Amino acid sequence: MQRFNLGGEDVMSVQSSKKDFIPSQPMAVEHFLRSGVELAQPITKRQLAILASWAGEGSDERTQLEKMHDDTEYQQLLDRRYSVIDILEEVPRLPLPFGVYIDLLLPLSPRLYSISSSPIEPFNKSKGCPVASLTFDVFEDPAKSGHATFRGVASSYLANRTPGDCIPCLVRPTKVPFRLPPDTKTPIIMLAAGTGIAPMRAFIQERAAIKRSGEGKLGPAILFFGCRHPDKDYMYRSELAAWEKEGIVEVIPCFSKPDDGQKGHHVPDALWEHRERVWDLFMDGANVYTCGSAARLGSSSAATWRRIWSEKTGKSELEAHEWLDRVKNERYISDVW
């Protein structure tokens, strides 16, 4: 807002836009920017060209923007996640109107979260209505572009809610078969890191409700849960301990930064150490569920499973890849981002 000399009391409306996310009725500019559009999307070459068109012919601004269009320069912008506003920070004298700026932006897309509670748990009711819980980590870090601080849109918004607040949201069924097997006796192996614990907590809570109701016999369940420190970010620690005591699940915590002189331990490390047990469970029909970062937990856990399969079968690495592809979305189900 500072870039366009706008204040907290300023309102906006656009009568001629065909984009339905741009308000045709007066709306506070700050509210629109916070809740209506993507501000941090990496800039496209098309957007760079539009910015350059607002620079004077032969001006330093035009030269600077056209240089950014070069493939090498542009890739550097992508690597540092430069957005339109980041470019405007680099070219402060570009006379870009606010109306052109908002026309370059995309509508804010939904942020997806896994529900971390079970609908059959009796305590997940309020005045007869179901209650769903979310598990999130507030993302706040120096922006890769070097301009100010990057804050997660949804996590920052949720962190600032207070009890009784209403939030815009909707429930969508998962597009992958990331749900407990119909037969409660089927063993399950869960791999989670950080907020990837969310769907696993829902699974374990549901197993606990099933056991307490006496409606089914439970098969074995193991949770490998990775976090940094046992006293800082071990989410749901007391709940997990209680469920473990009830025989609902066995929890194998993995601390990457234990801060007690011990070496960091990650989920794939523990998975490999317990490969005899998990292989036996898999051979007994276990489903494997993975939730966490695709680049970290998703990739490394898949590699460890391929390694286990190769060791147990004597097959090649290529065959291990083919095996994992065959069992994906059937017995090896991932919810990664």
Side-chain angles (χ1 to χ4, degrees):
M1 293 178 64
Q2 184 179 359
R3 172 64 173 74
F4 296 99
N5 296 316
L6 295 168
E9 302 301 318
D10 288 322
V11 297
M12 59 172 283
S13 64
V14 179
Q15 302 302 321
S16 58
S17 177
K18 295 180 180 179
K19 299 178 179 179
D20 57 8
F21 65 92
I22 294 181
S24 59
Q25 299 298 319
M27 176 184 289
V29 174
E30 185 174 4
H31 177 72
F32 170 71
L33 293 175
R34 286 184 179 275
S35 63
V37 286
E38 298 284 357
L39 298 177
Q41 281 288 104
I43 193 164
T44 66
K45 284 193 172 185
R46 174 183 168 276
Q47 290 170 329
L48 277 173
I50 293 173
L51 294 183
S53 72
W54 283 89
E57 191 72 36
S59 66
D60 292 342
E61 289 78 18
R62 174 71 70 91
T63 301
Q64 187 177 356
L65 288 164
E66 288 178 345
K67 185 180 179 181
M68 292 177 184
H69 213 82
D70 174 78
D71 287 343
T72 302
E73 292 283 339
Y74 178 65
Q75 186 58 52
Q76 291 177 3
L77 296 179
L78 294 183
D79 292 342
R80 297 178 64 187
R81 292 194 64 82
Y82 264 66
S83 65
V84 175
I85 197 66
D86 287 320
I87 298 298
L88 295 179
E89 290 286 327
E90 297 284 324
V91 192
R93 296 176 60 187
L94 183 72
L96 186 78
F98 181 65
V100 176
Y101 170 67
I102 63 173
D103 195 53
L104 292 174
L105 303 178
L106 295 173
L108 189 68
S109 60
R111 268 48 177 181
L112 305 182
Y113 289 86
S114 296
I115 292 175
S116 55
S117 56
S118 168
I120 72 168
E121 165 57 56
F123 291 106
N124 291 334
K125 296 283 191 300
S126 177
K127 298 179 180 179
C129 297
V131 173
S133 68
L134 299 180
T135 303
F136 63 93
D137 181 21
V138 180
F139 188 86
E140 185 172 316
D141 220 18
K144 289 184 179 181
S145 65
H147 300 138
T149 301
F150 179 87
R151 293 179 175 86
V153 174
S155 63
S156 297
Y157 170 79
L158 290 171
N160 285 292
R161 300 309 93 195
T162 57
D165 283 353
C166 292
I167 62 172
C169 63
L170 55 87
V171 178
R172 290 180 175 175
T174 178
K175 293 182 179 179
V176 295
F178 203 97
R179 51 179 61 87
L180 285 172
D183 186 350
T184 60
K185 296 188 293 296
T186 301
I188 61 172
I189 302 165
M190 298 169 283
L191 315 173
T195 55
I197 189 66
M200 310 311 183
R201 177 182 183 258
F203 284 176
I204 300 167
Q205 191 178 80
E206 183 147 326
R207 284 169 57 86
I210 291 171
K211 182 175 182 179
R212 291 166 192 162
S213 70
E215 293 180 0
K217 184 177 180 181
L218 298 179
I222 300 179
L223 168 66
F224 294 88
F225 178 41
C227 58
R228 293 184 181 88
H229 193 281
D231 299 323
K232 296 178 181 178
D233 60 346
Y234 191 168
M235 291 179 284
Y236 303 117
R237 183 174 186 173
S238 59
E239 276 189 337
L240 292 172
W243 284 326
E244 189 166 28
K245 190 174 181 179
E246 287 184 62
I248 308 298
V249 65
E250 177 184 351
V251 182
I252 301 175
C254 311
F255 306 116
S256 60
K257 297 180 180 179
D259 197 29
D260 58 1
Q262 296 185 20
K263 184 180 178 181
H265 208 50
H266 297 81
V267 168
D269 302 326
L271 181 62
W272 178 252
E273 291 167 2
H274 291 81
R275 61 189 181 277
E276 298 297 335
R277 293 180 58 209
V278 297
W279 179 253
D280 288 344
L281 286 175
F282 191 81
M283 295 303 291
D284 285 341
N287 282 1
V288 180
Y289 301 92
T290 304
C291 189
S293 164
R296 294 189 291 274
L297 180 72
S299 176
S300 57
S301 294
T304 303
W305 273 105
R306 291 194 298 268
R307 185 181 173 195
I308 292 171
W309 186 84
S310 292
E311 180 186 79
K312 297 301 179 183
T313 63
K315 304 290 186 178
S316 68
E317 183 178 346
L318 176 60
E319 290 171 308
H321 278 272
E322 293 172 345
W323 163 76
L324 194 60
D325 286 340
R326 287 196 301 272
V327 298
K328 277 182 178 178
N329 292 331
E330 293 180 3
R331 295 185 57 199
Y332 187 94
I333 307 110
S334 297
D335 179 8
V336 294
W337 57 87

